[in-house]
Amino acid sequence: MANESSSPAGRQAPPASGGIKEVTPHTHPKGGVKQISMMAMAIMIITTIVSMRGLASQAEFGFTSIFYYVLAAVVFLVPYALVCAELASTYTRSGGVFRWVSEAFGTRTGWLSMYLDWQMVVIWFPAVLMFGAVSLAYVFWPEAFDARLAGNRVYTLLIVLGVYWLCTFNTFRGMKYANKLSTLGGLFGTIIPAAVLIVMGVVYLILGKTVYLPVDKPFWPDFSHFSTIVLAASIFLFFAGMEIQAVQVPGMKNPSKNFPKSVMVATLAILVIFILGTLAIGVVIPESKINLLQSLLVAYNDLWASIGAPWLGNVMAVFITFGVLGQVSVVIAGPSTGILAVGKAGYLPRSLQHTNKNGVQTTILYVQAAIVTLLSLVLVLLPSVESAYQILSQMSTIIYLVMVVIIYMAFVRLRRTAPNKARGFKVPGGKLGMWLVTVVGVAGAVLAGVLSFVPPSQIKTGNPAVYVGILIIGVAVFIAIPLIVYARRKRSWRDAGASFYPFDWQIEGRKPGQVSKWPAGYQPSDEQVKAVMAKDGDS
């Protein structure tokens, strides 16, 4: 049998029927759970997705950045949110992405998708910590020293590795410490800095200061120059994370009506924050001086200097650094909790299933830290901190988009193989709506993935062959690893104490690709479920 928890920070819906209960890290009892309102879900989506880290990468596009943000929302965030909501409200048992994909294609592809979801976050760690190292550099004075320190590869590498390993050891103490840090980090590292950036941008304009926003760049981009729009592909990762909150849809009040409203409210709010924040950076920093890592901090310094309080820019650097620390601290354990659950169900060697007295998966976290350390060494291969940040961000984007495409394919297949399955939320529009969101979503993901392999003209990435080679080899290796592990799995890897509610196709005794013969509203009995679980089998 297979077992897996939800995506980072996600919690699973309670069992839909029967007396079978699962033992998973994120299972929670149904009793006492308050239904989620439309606005509460919108806020959850906003706080999951919004981050300040990538705004500078879009500031170079001026008003064209508005087009890219809107495009990414229309072809990625909205259709992906609707698809995840249908899958989460249909398959309410624990498992998240792993269950959705396994119900459609079997456990091999389900395991691959779950692994890619985890691997994307692992690749994300060095990139976000590079941003944290730059933020830390801007805590000091003067700004000229900050800029030199932030661009120093040795300093950045030491901070990335030092902070990550410290956060890892802190996680060994238990999740309550990481959660506290994450809550405060979200407030001081994202919400307050975002509000300050937008408000100060307005103040800057009211004061009549010099505006550097490139007004010569129109709303519509020039698609004839791919190398100039590569940075725009990274916008798709800005909107990543819908699968995290989609598992909460079964707990909503009237999800078929309220979830689309939540997505619309959240999308508009996210667009306002991203667009105004990006334009605020472009207003105070000349296009030629925009740096992917440093420009946000420089913008704060310049905005506060416009009212005679430049020292407050250093205070904002402290806030953002603290926010990065909070993000990393909580995410370190989240995705690997799912890996642990899968491992206990027979997908990882018993040696990787070890937990300490606090229930923390220490061996997996050591492996995760080793991967982060190796990825961080890309700083040595590329000509600058900025180029290393870019390549890791793009690699993370590609890995994530592969998983997204698999989820779209699972969505389409499950409409065919499980037509009578009760769906708490269904993508509107019948078959036309199904194909519309799928075609738009997949096309957007494929386009962003292709663009991610093109070296951006705005950044000195060194030899293009090295840049593209690192991406191709990295993506190939990260996709091959889970498939190799799956092929070599052994029955002895399974922890006898692990339990996981069987897939529908297992209970019905069919293959994942075969159409279910269950009538509408059918619920398997506890005896049927227990019989499948007793076999201790897997596909």
Side-chain angles (χ1 to χ4, degrees):
M1 296 298 297
N3 188 10
E4 197 256 349
S5 69
S6 65
S7 300
R11 295 173 296 178
Q12 297 303 327
S17 65
I20 306 297
K21 291 187 178 181
E22 304 166 82
V23 181
T24 64
H26 299 291
T27 301
H28 58 82
K30 187 174 183 179
V33 175
K34 185 178 180 180
Q35 284 189 307
I36 302 170
S37 67
M38 182 277 289
M39 189 55 66
M41 175 59 78
I43 293 173
M44 290 164 65
I45 294 173
I46 293 168
T47 54
T48 299
I49 291 176
V50 171
S51 173
M52 304 289 288
R53 180 172 61 96
L55 299 185
S57 67
Q58 307 307 315
E60 294 193 35
F61 297 107
F63 291 113
T64 310
S65 65
I66 301 175
F67 170 86
Y68 290 128
Y69 279 123
V70 173
L71 177 67
V74 171
V75 305
F76 180 75
L77 177 60
V78 173
Y80 187 52
L82 296 176
V83 166
C84 287
E86 176 169 324
L87 292 172
S89 64
T90 304
Y91 298 96
T92 57
R93 298 284 180 174
S94 64
V97 170
F98 177 73
R99 180 171 292 279
W100 306 346
V101 177
S102 294
E103 286 284 9
F105 299 110
T107 54
R108 183 197 307 273
T109 311
W111 157 246
L112 170 64
S113 301
M114 189 279 306
Y115 182 92
L116 292 179
D117 203 16
W118 169 71
Q119 192 65 71
M120 179 273 292
V121 176
V122 174
I123 301 171
W124 168 87
F125 281 126
V128 74
L129 284 170
M130 288 178 193
F131 177 69
V134 171
S135 301
L136 180 61
Y138 275 79
V139 171
F140 308 106
W141 286 272
E143 186 176 321
F145 170 77
D146 298 344
R148 289 196 301 272
L149 183 61
N152 187 287
R153 288 186 289 179
V154 175
Y155 157 79
T156 303
L157 183 61
L158 291 176
I159 294 298
V160 167
L161 296 182
V163 171
Y164 186 82
W165 280 95
L166 284 174
C167 287
T168 297
F169 291 134
N170 180 61
T171 303
F172 289 174
R173 302 167 62 195
M175 278 303 295
K176 65 177 182 179
Y177 298 100
N179 286 334
K180 289 180 180 179
L181 190 59
S182 175
T183 301
L184 293 173
L187 174 62
F188 291 100
T190 299
I191 297 175
I192 292 178
V196 168
L197 181 63
I198 294 171
V199 171
M200 289 304 300
V202 174
V203 171
Y204 185 90
L205 292 174
I206 292 175
L207 292 176
K209 301 291 184 178
T210 303
V211 175
Y212 294 100
L213 194 67
V215 294
D216 59 316
K217 293 189 175 180
F219 174 80
W220 299 101
D222 181 1
F223 289 108
S224 64
H225 297 87
F226 272 162
S227 63
T228 65
I229 62 174
V230 171
L231 289 179
S234 62
I235 284 184
F236 280 70
L237 200 60
F238 291 10
F239 293 104
M242 264 313 307
E243 70 279 1
I244 296 175
Q245 295 304 344
V247 297
Q248 306 285 6
V249 170
M252 287 191 72
K253 299 177 182 178
N254 194 5
S256 61
K257 291 184 178 179
N258 286 336
F259 185 74
K261 294 179 182 178
S262 298
V263 171
M264 292 302 106
V265 171
T267 299
L268 290 175
I270 291 168
L271 284 175
V272 168
I273 294 171
F274 280 164
I275 290 172
L276 294 183
T278 297
L279 294 180
I281 294 174
V283 162
V284 297
I285 301 178
E287 179 186 359
S288 61
K289 294 184 179 180
I290 288 179
N291 178 285
L292 297 190
L293 287 165
Q294 299 182 32
S295 289
L296 176 62
L297 287 308
V298 174
Y300 279 119
N301 287 350
D302 292 351
L303 288 170
W304 285 114
S306 68
I307 62 170
W311 59 274
L312 284 173
N314 301 86
V315 174
M316 297 310 302
V318 174
F319 279 19
I320 293 174
T321 303
F322 183 66
V324 170
L325 188 63
Q327 275 186 304
V328 171
S329 182
V330 73
V331 176
I332 277 178
S336 58
T337 301
I339 294 292
L340 173 66
V342 171
K344 287 181 176 296
Y347 284 103
L348 289 176
R350 296 300 294 270
S351 60
L352 293 177
Q353 300 176 27
H354 173 75
T355 58
N356 64 10
K357 63 181 181 180
N358 298 316
V360 177
Q361 55 280 9
T362 50
T363 306
I364 293 176
L365 289 180
Y366 275 126
V367 172
Q368 181 172 286
I371 296 174
V372 170
T373 300
L374 289 174
L375 288 172
S376 300
L377 295 179
V378 73
L379 280 165
V380 178
L381 299 176
L382 294 173
S384 68
V385 174
E386 186 182 26
S387 60
Y389 171 86
Q390 171 65 12
I391 198 168
L392 289 174
S393 295
Q394 295 302 89
M395 189 180 296
S396 183
T397 299
I398 295 167
I399 291 291
Y400 185 73
L401 292 175
V402 170
M403 182 202 71
V404 167
V405 171
I406 293 175
I407 289 177
Y408 275 115
M409 296 299 100
F411 160 68
V412 172
R413 191 173 201 184
L414 288 170
R415 279 286 189 97
R416 182 182 66 84
T417 60
N420 297 324
K421 183 76 173 178
R423 288 166 166 82
F425 170 83
K426 195 170 185 179
V427 173
K431 286 188 177 181
L432 177 61
M434 176 192 75
W435 285 113
L436 180 62
V437 298
T438 301
V439 171
V440 170
V442 171
V446 171
L447 175 62
V450 171
L451 288 175
S452 295
F453 283 100
V454 182
S457 61
Q458 300 96 325
I459 302 173
K460 295 180 179 179
T461 56
N463 189 327
V466 174
Y467 180 91
V468 176
I470 291 176
L471 282 177
I472 292 175
I473 293 173
V475 171
V477 168
F478 289 134
I479 291 177
I481 288 175
L483 296 177
I484 293 172
V485 172
Y486 184 93
R488 297 179 63 86
R489 73 195 191 286
K490 301 177 181 178
R491 184 172 294 274
S492 61
W493 290 2
R494 189 178 190 277
D495 185 336
S499 62
F500 186 78
Y501 194 89
F503 301 109
D504 286 354
W505 49 267
Q506 288 178 312
I507 301 173
E508 194 175 353
R510 60 181 174 85
K511 294 181 179 180
Q514 294 177 331
V515 178
S516 172
K517 295 181 180 180
W518 282 348
Y522 180 82
Q523 292 289 345
S525 66
D526 286 354
E527 289 69 25
Q528 287 177 289
V529 175
K530 289 177 181 178
V532 174
M533 296 177 74
K535 292 180 181 179
D536 190 23
D538 207 340
S539 62

